[in-house]
């Protein structure tokens, strides 16, 4: 059956803006595109340990068989949530099927009618989609601008206010001044919610995230941890009080009305977390971040990059056509760096997004930046 005309028109607009999306094919290019910061997705040690854990737990089944409230719950879930809670120094953790599900579930159920949500304008789409499901009022504030945030707080007379941000922003790779944000949050008795998707496995002694690295977990109402990046697997967890966990089990629709993660997925999460406890890859990743930033300076590229000390490094190349052309040139030379187009980012803020990993070599970093300089300035 033919697609409706109004949908065809939307596709046509995307094509004319040179912003149409296609599913990419697999490749063997040098990886500067994936979120697999520590290389754990390819770890044979984790793969084998996961298989053994399932055998030892007598969980040799392929699926969850239902939602966790019906037939999909099992002891490995509780063991994993307990381990995650202890690892992140929090009272409780609740597993969700993905970071998207976690954010939609949280924001669609926790803030109520009469409450207020104030969120950073660059928050991830999953957060904004969750907010759309909420009955609370919601307003954005300028990126990392806590003066504007406080001015909004001064004007409101609402009992329950949720402040929402990310510890590492997915497109810019930058971070808010969390200590300053907590001062503002505490001053106005707000509930602070922080998405740590791109901080897990990158910040902290064992990759616990930026909040714990700064020892600020006592001041945060909820943290969202996503496992498809630094942990190299799939799923997510919301961290908080035992009461928050109980509330989400009862009211988060993306938790209640979905089949649970398979035992294999849950086992992989637990084994990956245990791997973080003895992780040598973190120091390699951090060294590569430092080296990448040094090379930016040497090549005169620093002013074109968004300031970042994370594994996400973005160089602004305005225009969908231009940024796609440079990405294609880098790929022709064997480097997989992805163009981020508008409308994913605002028009004029199109960029090449480099994701750094523990397994990238200094030679690879130096060469890809040398090529970037050549293509930008010729």
């Amino acid at each position: 059956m033919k697609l409706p005309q109004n949908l065809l028109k939307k596709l046509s607009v995307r094509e004319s803006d040179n912003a149409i999306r296609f599913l990419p094919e697999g490749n063997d290019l040098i990886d500067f595109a994936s979120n697999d910061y520590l290389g754990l997705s390819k770890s044979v040690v984790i793969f084998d340990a996961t298989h053994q854990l399932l055998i030892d737990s007598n969980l040799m089944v392929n699926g969850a068989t239902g939602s966790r409230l019906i037939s999909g719950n099992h002891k490995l879930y509780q063991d994993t949530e307990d381990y995650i809670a202890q690892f992140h120094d929090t009272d409780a953790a609740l597993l969700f099927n993905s970071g998207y599900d976690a954010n939609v579930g949280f924001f669609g159920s926790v803030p109520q009618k009469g409450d207020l949500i104030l969120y950073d304008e660059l928050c991830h789409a999953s957060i904004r989609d969750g907010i759309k499901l909420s009955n609370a009022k919601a307003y954005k504030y300028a990126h990392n601008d806590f003066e504007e945030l406080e001015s909004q707080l001064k004007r409101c007379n609402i009992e329950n206010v949720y402040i929402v941000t990310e510890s590492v922003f997915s497109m810019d790779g930058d971070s808010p001044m969390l200590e300053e944000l907590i001062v503002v949050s505490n001053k106005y008795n707000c509930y602070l919610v922080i998405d740590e998707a791109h901080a897990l496995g990158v910040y902290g002694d064992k990759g616990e995230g930026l909040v714990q690295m700064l020892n600020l977990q006592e001041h945060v109402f909820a943290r969202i941890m996503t496992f498809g990046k630094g942990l190299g697997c799939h799923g997510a967890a919301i961290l908080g009080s035992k009461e928050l966990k109980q509330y989400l089990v009862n009211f988060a629709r993306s938790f209640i009305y979905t089949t649970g993660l398979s035992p294999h997925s849950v086992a992989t999460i637990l084994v990956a977390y245990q791997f973080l406890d003895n992780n040598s890859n973190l120091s390699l990743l951090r060294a590569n971040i430092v080296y990448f930033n040094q090379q930016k300076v040497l090549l005169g590229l620093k002013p074109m990059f968004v300031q970042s000390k994370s594994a996400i490094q973005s160089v602004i190349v305005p225009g969908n056509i231009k940024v796609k052309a440079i990405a294609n040139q880098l790929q022709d030379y064997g480097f997989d760096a992805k163009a981020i187009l508008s409308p994913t980012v605002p028009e004029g803020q199109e960029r090449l997004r480099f994701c750094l990993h523990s397994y990238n070599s200094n030679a690879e970093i130096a060469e890809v930046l040398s090529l970037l300089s050549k293509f930008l300035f010729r």
Side-chain angles (χ1 to χ4, degrees):
M1 186 176 292
K2 191 175 181 181
L3 200 65
Q5 193 63 38
N6 57 346
L7 302 187
L8 288 170
K9 184 177 180 180
K10 292 183 73 172
L11 278 175
S12 178
V13 170
R14 278 285 171 90
E15 288 177 346
S16 64
D17 290 341
N18 205 30
I20 194 75
R21 295 184 175 105
F22 298 98
L23 291 173
E25 296 180 2
N27 62 64
D28 57 358
L29 302 177
I30 296 168
D31 184 8
F32 283 99
S34 80
N35 294 321
D36 188 21
Y37 303 127
L38 299 175
L40 301 194
S41 74
K42 298 180 281 289
S43 170
V44 175
V45 172
I46 290 176
F47 185 91
D48 290 342
T50 297
H51 182 69
Q52 190 61 49
L53 176 60
L54 289 168
I55 293 173
D56 294 344
S57 303
N58 196 29
L59 277 170
M60 291 176 285
V61 292
N62 296 318
T65 75
S67 79
R68 287 183 67 186
L69 292 169
I70 303 297
S71 60
N73 205 33
H74 46 76
K75 185 177 183 297
L76 195 54
Y77 256 117
Q78 189 59 56
D79 291 345
T80 303
E81 288 174 340
D82 289 346
Y83 192 97
I84 291 170
Q86 183 179 21
F87 185 91
H88 286 296
D89 191 21
T90 190
D91 290 340
L94 181 66
L95 286 173
F96 281 75
N97 287 13
S98 69
Y100 191 97
D101 283 343
N103 276 324
V104 168
F106 180 91
F107 292 105
S109 67
V110 175
Q112 301 292 296
K113 185 176 181 179
D115 295 346
L116 176 66
I117 304 169
L118 297 174
Y119 64 98
D120 190 292
E121 65 179 346
L122 296 189
C123 276
H124 191 265
S126 60
I127 293 173
R128 289 184 276 114
D129 285 356
I131 289 172
K132 288 178 183 177
L133 297 175
S134 172
N135 291 319
K137 292 182 178 179
Y139 301 98
K140 63 186 177 183
Y141 61 89
H143 181 49
N144 289 338
D145 188 340
F146 302 143
E147 290 183 1
E148 180 183 323
L149 172 63
E150 186 165 11
S151 71
Q152 294 190 43
L153 289 167
K154 286 178 180 177
R155 292 196 302 269
C156 78
N157 186 25
I158 295 175
E159 182 178 0
N160 297 324
V161 179
Y162 295 86
I163 297 174
V164 186
T165 191
E166 302 178 24
S167 57
V168 177
F169 284 87
S170 60
M171 288 295 109
D172 285 16
D174 62 343
S175 298
M177 293 291 294
L178 290 181
E179 299 96 334
E180 183 180 337
L181 178 58
I182 283 171
V183 169
V184 174
S185 178
N186 289 343
K187 181 178 178 180
Y188 293 91
N189 297 312
C190 300
Y191 296 94
L192 184 57
V193 183
I194 300 179
D195 188 314
E196 292 235 78
H198 292 276
L200 177 62
V202 180
Y203 289 94
D205 291 339
K206 297 178 180 179
E208 303 96 326
L210 188 58
V211 170
Q212 272 175 275
M213 188 184 86
L214 299 173
N215 196 30
L216 300 174
Q217 55 269 27
E218 294 281 331
H219 303 280
V220 179
F221 176 67
R223 283 175 281 166
I224 293 90
M225 293 290 176
T226 301
F227 308 142
K229 283 81 176 174
L231 218 60
C233 49
H234 193 66
I238 295 178
L239 313 180
S241 66
K242 292 179 180 178
E243 293 80 8
L244 174 61
K245 178 176 180 176
Q246 190 65 53
Y247 180 87
L248 292 168
V249 167
N250 280 273
F251 294 101
R253 295 172 68 85
S254 63
F255 175 86
I256 299 166
Y257 299 109
T258 189
T259 300
L261 289 167
S262 70
H264 188 278
S265 293
V266 180
T268 306
I269 293 166
L270 177 56
V271 171
Y273 261 105
Q274 292 169 342
F275 187 90
L276 286 184
D277 268 327
N278 298 283
N279 180 20
S280 60
N281 293 9
L282 183 53
S283 60
L284 297 174
L285 172 62
R286 288 174 175 166
N288 281 343
I289 293 170
V290 170
Y291 186 75
F292 191 96
N293 278 300
Q294 290 171 341
Q295 291 300 303
K296 286 190 313 192
V297 174
L298 288 174
L299 292 167
L301 294 170
K302 184 178 179 181
M304 303 179 69
F305 273 82
V306 179
Q307 185 174 354
S308 168
K309 294 183 179 179
S310 75
I312 300 168
Q313 303 282 331
S314 291
V315 58
I316 304 300
V317 184
N320 283 347
I321 294 175
K322 183 175 181 180
V323 73
K324 284 175 70 173
I326 293 177
N328 289 337
Q329 287 175 305
L330 289 175
Q331 290 162 17
D332 288 342
Y333 277 83
F335 294 95
D336 193 14
K338 288 294 191 288
I340 308 297
L341 312 176
S342 58
T344 300
V345 293
E347 189 173 348
Q349 291 292 307
E350 296 84 4
R351 70 212 40 209
L352 280 170
R353 181 174 179 262
F354 294 87
C355 291
L356 306 181
H357 313 92
S358 59
Y359 50 84
N360 291 133
S361 69
N362 283 0
E364 291 168 350
I365 291 170
E367 185 176 356
V368 76
L369 286 177
S370 177
L371 288 168
L372 175 65
S373 178
K374 174 184 174 183
F375 300 147
L376 284 172
F377 297 135
R378 71 180 181 187

